[in-house]
Amino acid sequence: MNPFFSVIIPLFNKEKYIEATLNSVLNQTFTDFEVVIVDDGSTDNSLNIVKRNKDSRVTLIEQENKGASVARNNAIAHAKGKYIAPLDADDIWYENHLSELKSLINLFPSAGVFCNNYQVKLNKHLVKKANFNFDYDDEPLIIPDFFDANIYNYIATSSSSAFLKTHFIKLGTYDTSLRTAQDLDIWIKFALNYKIAFNPCITMTYNHFDDTSLSNSNYNTDRYNFIAFYKEEEKKNPSLKKYLDVNRYAVSLRCIASGEKELYRKLKSEIDYKNLNLKQKLLINSPKFVINTAKGLHSILKKIGFYWSANS
C-alpha cells in the first residue's frame, strides 16, 4: 500500500544540517509517509551522513549536479505517496508537522496547496514568527487573496506545504530553466488554478541564515525570467501584479548592489509604483552605497534581535 505522504528532500552540500532535518521527519507523530532524498552531486559529507541512516522509509537517489529544480522533480517522479510534502535539507519540522497537514487536507480536500504556519531562523540567536499580509486567528482557513497575503513572507514554502502529486504533474512540475525561484513559480501556478489552505499552527523552522543556501546565490536574470513568465496573467490580476512588483523591487535592489544596470532599468520600468510603499520607492532610487549601507545595517540589527522584511 502506498504511503499518504512522500517527503521529498533535495540535497546539496548540507552536511551541517541534513542529519537533524532527516531526524525531524522520522520523528513525526503521523507515520504514514516515505522519504525520498535526491543528492544533487554533493561534494561534502552530506551523502555519507544520509547513507548511515538505515530507516526503511528512506530512499536515497544520487544524481550529477543539475540544480534544485531537477532534484525536486526527480524525487517526485520516484515518490509513491498521494501527497507531496517538500522539505529543504536545512529546515526542521516539529513532530506535529505532517499530522497538522493531514488535518488541513481533511478540512479542505479540494484545495490545491496546504500550508502550515512557520517561524524563521534569521541567525543562531534570532527566530521570528513569519509575517503575512492577511488576518487570521487560531482556525484553519482558505486564504482569501493568496498573492496579496504573500507580500511580506511567503505563505507556501518548500518546507511548510503539501500538495497532490497529480495536481503538480498537471501544472507542469518545477521549471528546470530556473536556478532559483522555481518554488515561487510553482506556487503561483497553484494559486492561479486552485484554492490555498492555511493552518495557523506553527510546525516548522525555516533556516534563513545559511550562506550556502541556493536562495542567496546571485541569479538575478533567473529571478527576472521567473517574474516575466506572468506578464499576461498580471494584466488581469491586480493582486498578482502587486506581488510581482514587490518581487521586481527586491530583485532591483540586488541589481543595484551587484552593478547590473541594464537589468535594473528593465525591472524598474515594469513596476507600477502604486504597488510600493514609501521606503521601497526611496530605496529603489538610491545609489549603490546606500543599498550596501542599508544591507550592512540590516545584518547588524539582526544580530542584536531586530529584523524587518526586505519587502515591508
Side-chain angles (χ1 to χ4, degrees), residues 34-84:
E34 65 170 350
V35 185
V36 183
I37 301 174
V38 173
D39 182 77
D40 189 35
S42 291
T43 57
D44 65 0
N45 201 40
S46 297
L47 189 59
N48 291 328
I49 292 171
V50 174
K51 285 181 176 180
R52 289 202 302 259
N53 188 288
K54 303 303 181 184
D55 194 297
S56 61
R57 293 171 293 181
V58 179
T59 298
L60 175 62
I61 299 167
E62 299 177 46
Q63 67 175 40
E64 295 179 1
N65 181 247
K66 297 180 179 179
S69 298
V70 176
R72 287 182 172 125
N73 286 341
N74 194 5
I76 294 174
H78 285 85
K80 300 181 180 69
K82 182 177 181 181
Y83 287 87
I84 303 299

Side-chain angles (χ1 to χ4, degrees), residues 11-17 39 41-46 210 212:
L11 176 61
F12 179 72
N13 288 357
K14 296 292 183 180
E15 63 180 9
K16 294 180 181 179
Y17 308 101
D39 182 77
S42 291
T43 57
D44 65 0
N45 201 40
S46 297
D210 178 23
T212 65

Side-chain angles (χ1 to χ4, degrees), residues 5-8 76 83-88 91 93 97-98 100-102 104-105 112-118 132 143 146 150 154-164 174 183 186-187 190 196-199 201 203-204:
F5 287 111
S6 287
V7 180
I8 63 113
I76 294 174
Y83 287 87
I84 303 299
L87 175 60
D88 286 345
D91 294 336
W93 283 353
H97 180 73
L98 290 181
E100 289 290 339
L101 282 177
K102 178 64 163 59
L104 191 61
I105 291 168
V113 182
F114 307 89
C115 311
N116 284 345
N117 202 354
Y118 62 95
F132 308 123
I143 299 170
F146 178 77
N150 269 271
Y154 300 119
I155 297 172
T157 76
S158 54
S159 292
S160 65
S161 309
F163 47 83
L164 272 169
Y174 289 106
D183 50 345
I186 200 68
W187 304 136
F190 267 111
I196 310 297
F198 175 71
N199 177 10
C201 180
T203 65
M204 64 148 296

Side-chain angles (χ1 to χ4, degrees), residues 5 14 22 30 78 88 94 111 113 118 137 140 155 163-164 175 186 213 231 233 252 254 256 258 263 295 297 302:
F5 287 111
K14 296 292 183 180
L22 181 54
F30 183 86
H78 285 85
D88 286 345
Y94 309 153
V113 182
Y118 62 95
D137 50 29
I155 297 172
F163 47 83
L164 272 169
D175 190 333
I186 200 68
S213 174
K231 280 188 176 180
E233 286 85 351
S252 294
R254 288 175 176 269
I256 295 173
S258 61
L263 184 57
K295 185 178 179 181
L297 178 61
K302 279 171 60 176

Side-chain angles (χ1 to χ4, degrees), residues 58-296:
V58 179
T59 298
L60 175 62
I61 299 167
E62 299 177 46
Q63 67 175 40
E64 295 179 1
N65 181 247
K66 297 180 179 179
S69 298
V70 176
R72 287 182 172 125
N73 286 341
N74 194 5
I76 294 174
H78 285 85
K80 300 181 180 69
K82 182 177 181 181
Y83 287 87
I84 303 299
L87 175 60
D88 286 345
D90 55 0
D91 294 336
I92 297 293
W93 283 353
Y94 309 153
E95 64 179 13
N96 63 337
H97 180 73
L98 290 181
S99 65
E100 289 290 339
L101 282 177
K102 178 64 163 59
S103 296
L104 191 61
I105 291 168
N106 291 342
L107 280 173
F108 304 107
S110 64
V113 182
F114 307 89
C115 311
N116 284 345
N117 202 354
Y118 62 95
Q119 60 182 5
V120 184
K121 189 172 186 177
L122 296 155
N123 59 44
K124 293 180 180 179
H125 309 290
L126 179 59
V127 179
K128 292 284 189 179
K129 182 180 176 181
N131 181 26
F132 308 123
N133 191 39
F134 74 108
D135 295 325
Y136 59 91
D137 50 29
D138 295 330
E139 297 299 318
L141 72 157
I142 295 294
I143 299 170
D145 188 333
F146 178 77
F147 298 118
D148 189 61
N150 269 271
I151 294 301
Y152 304 137
N153 289 129
Y154 300 119
I155 297 172
T157 76
S158 54
S159 292
S160 65
S161 309
F163 47 83
L164 272 169
K165 180 176 179 178
T166 53
H167 286 171
F168 173 80
I169 293 171
K170 181 179 178 181
L171 291 173
T173 73
Y174 289 106
D175 190 333
T176 57
S177 72
L178 297 174
R179 293 169 294 177
T180 188
Q182 66 276 156
D183 50 345
L184 305 185
D185 176 61
I186 200 68
W187 304 136
I188 289 179
K189 290 175 181 175
F190 267 111
L192 289 172
N193 290 277
Y194 301 100
K195 295 178 180 179
I196 310 297
F198 175 71
N199 177 10
C201 180
I202 295 175
T203 65
M204 64 148 296
T205 296
Y206 165 50
N207 180 9
H208 192 55
F209 76 96
D210 178 23
D211 291 335
T212 65
S213 174
L214 180 62
S215 62
N216 292 323
S217 300
N218 194 26
Y219 294 143
N220 290 331
T221 300
D222 288 50
R223 293 183 175 101
Y224 174 80
N225 290 338
F226 144 68
I227 295 168
F229 291 158
Y230 297 99
K231 280 188 176 180
E232 292 304 313
E233 286 85 351
E234 68 180 341
K235 292 176 183 178
K236 302 172 287 185
N237 190 323
S239 292
L240 176 60
K241 170 63 175 170
K242 181 179 180 180
Y243 170 78
L244 292 176
D245 278 350
V246 171
N247 275 272
R248 288 183 174 101
Y249 153 79
V251 181
S252 294
L253 296 193
R254 288 175 176 269
C255 288
I256 295 173
S258 61
E260 297 172 83
K261 295 180 180 180
E262 184 177 347
L263 184 57
Y264 164 73
R265 287 191 290 267
K266 186 184 295 186
L267 284 157
K268 190 178 173 185
S269 70
E270 295 174 0
I271 294 175
D272 183 343
Y273 273 66
K274 291 183 295 186
N275 289 328
L276 302 185
N277 61 33
L278 179 59
K279 185 202 81 172
Q280 292 166 338
K281 291 175 183 176
L282 290 172
L283 284 176
I284 200 173
N285 289 293
S286 296
K288 182 176 181 177
F289 81 89
V290 172
I291 301 302
N292 289 336
T293 300
K295 185 178 179 181

